[in-house]
Amino acid sequence: MWLSIPKDSDFSIFNLPFGIFKPNESASPRAGIAIGDHIVDLVAAAEAGLFGKRRFFKKIFEQGTLNDFIALGKPVTNRIRRKVRAWLEMDQKPENAVSLLCDRKKAIMLMPIRVPNYTDFYSSIEHATNVGKMFRPDNPLMPNWRWLPVGYHGRASSVVVSGTDIKRPSGQILPPGGNPNEPVFSPSRQMDFELEMAFVIGKENPLGTPIPVDKADEYIFGLVLFNDWSARDIQRWEYVPLGPFLGKNFGSSVSPWIVPLEALKPFKVKGPKQKPAPLEYLKGRGAQNYEIALEVSIDTGKGSENLISRSNTKYLYWSMAQQLAHHTVNGCNVQVGDLLASGTISGPTEDSLGSLLEISQGGKKPMKMNDGTTRTFLENGDKVILRGWAENGSERVGFGEVSGKLIE
Ligand code: CA
């Protein structure tokens, strides 16, 4: 390969994820593929005739979101990746290399998709058990939990790209020591993150037509890292009986590069054994989980980053295929660009928890930061950074990061 790629880069030749970027502040948004420290400008590549049908692809890649491109279907989106890979693997540096490549570190990343709908699941048995224990020590998992992937419809309008500041929300909370049935209006005092992965829908099902669990992969375009910011005190007071609302819908952050499902195939693994055996429509064949290492860090703005958790998507009890099959089994139709998030991904050990609610045991156990301060929940100015990557002896496919700073 004529382009040198740092050995530990998330954006190896095996990855080739799609995103929307501006090469500089005054440039117009365009689609790109990340490779090492560079981005292949897909508008420039289309103009250079790399994909044929110059005018058609130039227009598609100038859209400002990837929805229209994704809607062309996997035969097209995968062909574009193959063409870019072949171009990168030419024996000699092509003459158009300079005009097609941008500096990734200087690029401004934008929201890669327009999100018509966002759904959040609750698919980690460790997370559901940890949180359930705080409310029901003897019976942490509700009776439905092992039968279906519990989920709710979230808010699409407040999904933002990595790097966007998140404003601390205000709302109704119960002050500690106060009347347990009388709230006050206050800025949230229990701001949290949730370590999640989300998948992007690439193909639509007609209303009334479920997606079978073994066909789910055809409908999933790719994956992103996902931080489902949560105001625990607002959530605790409001969630009965209809579930999350204002404690969640003020912001969720996504990583800017969508890693195509095809790039993650080598990292498929079997999920945890499901007991009881799921109902027929949720019974998937073969390996349906992914082994993707995940990390959470907090940057307080002083001192170095604090690595506070390491988890893995392989722990998820309900697979993405099962989530999608369940979401549509009643005939609900998904749309291109929809985001379906996993729910907080906690692992089995104390150092693999996916939220501060769990790490601080509901605020009881402060955690030391390397600037000398402590945290139970987030403080203004804290930047939360989620990272994820899959790796085996020969390939590394990563997501980069999703970060966001909590501001007053
Ligand atoms: Ca969540």
Side-chain angles (χ1 to χ4, degrees), residues 56-117:
F56 174 80
F57 279 113
K58 181 172 181 282
K59 221 177 142 196
I60 283 278
F61 292 132
E62 282 174 342
Q63 293 294 304
T65 63
L66 291 168
N67 296 59
D68 287 357
F69 171 62
I70 292 171
L72 295 174
K74 290 198 185 215
V76 178
T77 56
N78 284 329
R79 187 174 75 84
I80 298 296
R81 286 176 72 236
R82 283 198 302 275
K83 291 279 181 192
V84 167
R85 181 166 176 167
W87 180 77
L88 288 164
E89 288 183 328
M90 285 167 74
D91 291 337
Q92 287 183 343
K93 186 171 177 173
E95 272 174 25
N96 55 12
V98 175
S99 56
L100 266 60
L101 287 178
C102 298
D103 185 340
R104 190 168 61 77
K105 302 274 163 73
K106 284 188 191 146
I108 299 152
M109 297 308 300
L110 305 171
M111 189 65 197
I113 41 170
R114 178 174 33 81
V115 183
N117 302 280

Side-chain angles (χ1 to χ4, degrees), residues 118 120-121 152 194 196 226 228 230 248 343-344:
Y118 151 50
D120 197 18
F121 286 93
Y152 71 99
E194 288 191 335
E196 305 195 17
F226 194 83
D228 182 26
S230 300
K248 298 278 189 178
T344 307

Side-chain angles (χ1 to χ4, degrees), residues 298-306 369-373 375 379:
I298 295 180
D299 183 348
T300 62
K302 301 172 204 98
S304 52
E305 266 182 31
N306 301 270
M369 300 280 110
N370 54 28
D371 65 3
T373 59
R375 292 289 182 283
E379 296 194 358

